[in-house]
Amino acid sequence: MGSVIDGKAVAAKVRGEVREAASVFAARHGRPPGLAAVLVGDDPASARYVASKEKAGAEVGIAGKVVRLPADIGEDALARVVDSLNADPIIDGFIVQLPLPPGIDASRILDRIDPAKDVDGLHPNNLGLLVAGRPGLVPCTPLGCLRLLDEHGVDARGKHAVVLGRSNIVGKPVALLLLERHATVTICHSRTADLAAEVGRADIVVAAIGKAEMVKGAWLKPGAVVIDVGINRNAAGKLVGDVEYAPALERAAAITPVPGGVGPMTVAYLMHNTVQAARARLSPGAARTGTT
Ligand code: NDP
């Protein structure tokens, strides 16, 4: 029987660190770090995510602002909103909540964000810095996954890590972070020939595919560590991850639950990135990234 990696507890620790850093920033600069979220349309899941980010910001001493825009705003008008946030001196970081409504090219919008304010880490400059192993703003969920491994005492060096999913927001960056930690990394996706066999070779599994309980507990190598990023509803409407939890818990050394695993870490690391961005903007030479 494996142990449960408690994302809520680790996220509370990260928020404590961020609160401390935000208060040092506020004392030095006469204002708190500022974070904005742009919410386009009325997708209920996106509205929920933005509300949880707003609440988390308030709790750690980050000044938050939500820019709510109609679904039919159009790409040019949305680009102008991005320009105005880029120019706003008290906004240190902002996110454009994805997905965007049909008809808006998300890449064009993300490319327009000032990389220094790109706290989701999705601007090509920041993704490029990550590939090069240089400091930049790194996507929040992958940072959260690495911190969970650290807090659980899992050293990735020399381990075989298998990442399921290759999105820019989770799969690719988490694979690059594991590579930086000297893991041997395999990235799987929808065209991978034998997913079960790949998972069976993994010491560390990071599942980010968005398919309810698709990864079977029986696929795991006994003693593997499992980070389940997926957030899905199963047929009964229950919130579940990408990994079949109970059988996986039996076989793994450790696993994150859903909910209460990676989810709280993502929000905590958005706050962390906001303070990093604020310090980098106002204190030249400050570190802009890191998993702690
Ligand atoms: P995307 O849909 O962008 O990417 C999914 C990836 O999974 C793709 O690379 C896709 O492959 C791969 N995939 C899909 N089906 C299969 C399959 N049957 N076998 C193998 N690979 C498959 O999703 P995201 O990366 O944005 O998110 C992944 C999951 O993580 C979702 O459940 C999402 O809700 C959750 N999530 C959770 C967060 C949290 O804070 N806990 C934060 C962000 C996401 P291909 O590239 O070939 O299409």
Side-chain angles (χ1 to χ4, degrees):
M1 180 90 169
S3 55
V4 178
I5 302 176
D6 184 349
K8 274 193 203 162
V10 180
K13 186 171 172 184
V14 175
R15 285 198 305 273
E17 295 161 3
V18 173
R19 191 178 302 114
E20 175 67 29
S23 112
V24 169
F25 178 92
R28 188 165 299 158
H29 299 288
R31 66 162 181 85
L35 170 67
V38 179
L39 180 59
V40 185
D42 49 15
D43 176 59
S46 293
R48 260 199 317 278
Y49 291 141
V50 167
S52 71
K53 290 166 185 173
E54 201 178 8
K55 182 165 166 271
E59 282 169 10
V60 297
I62 287 175
K65 160 171 154 176
V66 180
V67 183
R68 291 189 170 78
L69 301 168
D72 63 357
I73 178 166
E75 196 171 300
D76 289 341
L78 180 56
R80 285 194 292 277
V81 172
V82 168
D83 291 345
S84 72
L85 290 168
N86 283 339
D88 189 332
I90 62 164
I91 295 296
D92 298 296
F94 65 99
I95 61 152
V96 177
Q97 184 67 46
L98 300 175
L100 290 170
I104 297 182
D105 177 354
S107 296
R108 199 190 139 212
I109 296 300
L110 295 178
D111 289 2
R112 208 170 172 107
I113 296 175
D114 176 351
K117 295 191 176 189
D118 169 39
V119 283
D120 257 348
L122 292 174
H123 189 283
N125 281 22
N126 284 317
L127 291 172
L129 289 168
L130 179 61
V131 171
R134 288 164 49 189
L137 287 162
V138 177
C140 308
T141 304
L143 284 178
C145 293
L146 268 285
R147 180 67 182 266
L148 288 174
L149 292 174
D150 287 345
E151 290 286 330
H152 213 74
V154 179
D155 181 1
R157 181 184 302 256
K159 301 269 169 47
H160 187 188
V162 173
V163 177
L164 312 182
R166 57 174 164 180
S167 69
N168 288 341
I169 196 158
V170 189
K172 283 182 200 162
V174 91
L176 288 164
L177 291 175
L178 286 162
L179 194 60
E180 253 179 41
R181 299 291 187 88
H182 311 296
T184 301
V185 183
T186 300
I187 306 178
C188 301
H189 46 77
S190 66
R191 269 56 150 218
T192 296
D194 188 347
L195 203 62
E198 300 297 347
V199 169
R201 282 190 277 274
D203 302 306
I204 298 169
V205 178
V206 180
I209 55 180
K211 302 276 179 233
E213 299 175 316
M214 197 189 138
V215 178
K216 303 302 167 203
W219 293 1
L220 296 170
K221 177 158 115 180
V225 174
V226 182
I227 305 290
D228 191 351
V229 182
I231 303 176
N232 317 285
R233 297 256 168 217
N234 68 8
K238 187 174 169 251
L239 210 58
V240 295
D242 288 344
V243 181
E244 208 188 19
Y245 183 73
L249 182 60
E250 285 295 322
R251 217 169 153 87
I255 181 169
T256 58
V258 178
V262 176
M265 296 300 292
T266 296
V267 182
Y269 268 93
L270 178 64
M271 304 307 140
H272 164 97
N273 278 359
T274 302
V275 175
Q276 294 285 60
R279 285 161 47 182
R281 284 182 67 237
L282 297 192
S283 317
R288 282 183 52 193
T289 190
T291 53
T292 54

